[in-house]
Amino acid sequence: MVGSLSLQKLVGASLALLAVLMGVGWMTREDPAAKPPLKILGGGFMFNYRIADVHYGFTAAIQRSLPAGSVIEAEFEDPAGGANHVVRERVEVRASRYTLRSPPLQGVEAGKDYHVEVRLKTRADDAVLWSDRLAFRSQLSDDVAPDAPLTVGPGYHRPSGQGD
């Protein structure tokens, strides 16, 4: 019969297609060792008017296995012009995302870039395994934050001394 497919031809064509697809997959694959160990997922400024708090920070995801006890260190620029704020977080086996944030800040200006140095360090000797520099810009200045907390405690209770 002309045009009939035999089982042998079908298997041969399938194997040829499989070989081509595997070749394409191999050529386009990403080497896990070439990825940075951390991926910054996002970040920015947070204004919490209830407690009169302004801070900034970021969230990072682990992209590949890290040496045991590695430390993520972030050095936040101080908008008030003081010394940078250093925050450290030890990498845990079961966690894949980490959020690091500055302590409460003053002097934040709208439209100005504030920088963060992110470093991944070893536990034993503080050797830097990886680093990156980030910049965050607030759309608001800290003038919009109240001078004192508007509430105290877990509810919406006014601080003592404020009108009822």
Side-chain angles (χ1 to χ4, degrees):
M1 248 202 229
V2 177
S4 69
L5 284 175
S6 69
L7 181 59
Q8 198 172 27
K9 287 181 183 179
L10 186 60
V11 169
S14 297
L15 289 175
L17 180 62
L18 181 62
V20 168
L21 291 175
M22 286 182 66
V24 169
W26 182 259
M27 297 297 286
T28 60
R29 78 178 181 87
E30 287 185 33
D31 184 10
K35 285 184 179 180
L38 295 178
K39 179 179 181 180
I40 306 302
L41 301 176
F45 279 83
M46 175 66 74
F47 287 73
N48 188 335
Y49 71 92
R50 283 186 58 220
I51 59 173
D53 179 44
V54 177
H55 65 270
Y56 68 116
F58 63 92
T59 299
I62 305 294
Q63 292 201 108
R64 58 184 164 108
S65 62
L66 301 174
S70 297
V71 174
I72 302 170
E73 181 179 271
E75 188 173 335
F76 293 93
E77 182 179 353
D78 184 2
N84 290 348
H85 303 284
V86 178
V87 177
R88 297 171 56 103
E89 177 103 19
R90 187 170 309 276
V91 175
E92 301 291 333
V93 176
R94 293 190 176 110
S96 62
R97 290 185 183 201
Y98 294 87
T99 299
L100 282 80
R101 68 178 224 178
S102 70
L105 302 168
Q106 293 181 342
V108 175
E109 295 177 26
K112 182 179 177 188
D113 284 347
Y114 295 99
H115 297 93
V116 181
E117 291 284 337
V118 182
R119 292 180 283 275
L120 180 65
K121 294 182 162 187
T122 61
R123 175 183 177 180
D125 59 1
D126 263 357
V128 176
L129 301 171
W130 173 86
S131 67
D132 197 5
R133 184 172 169 89
L134 310 172
F136 296 105
R137 181 179 296 179
S138 175
Q139 295 178 357
L140 303 171
S141 69
D142 65 356
D143 309 1
V144 300
D147 294 332
L150 301 178
T151 63
V152 292
Y156 287 90
H157 306 288
R158 291 184 180 147
S160 61
Q162 289 190 355
D164 291 320

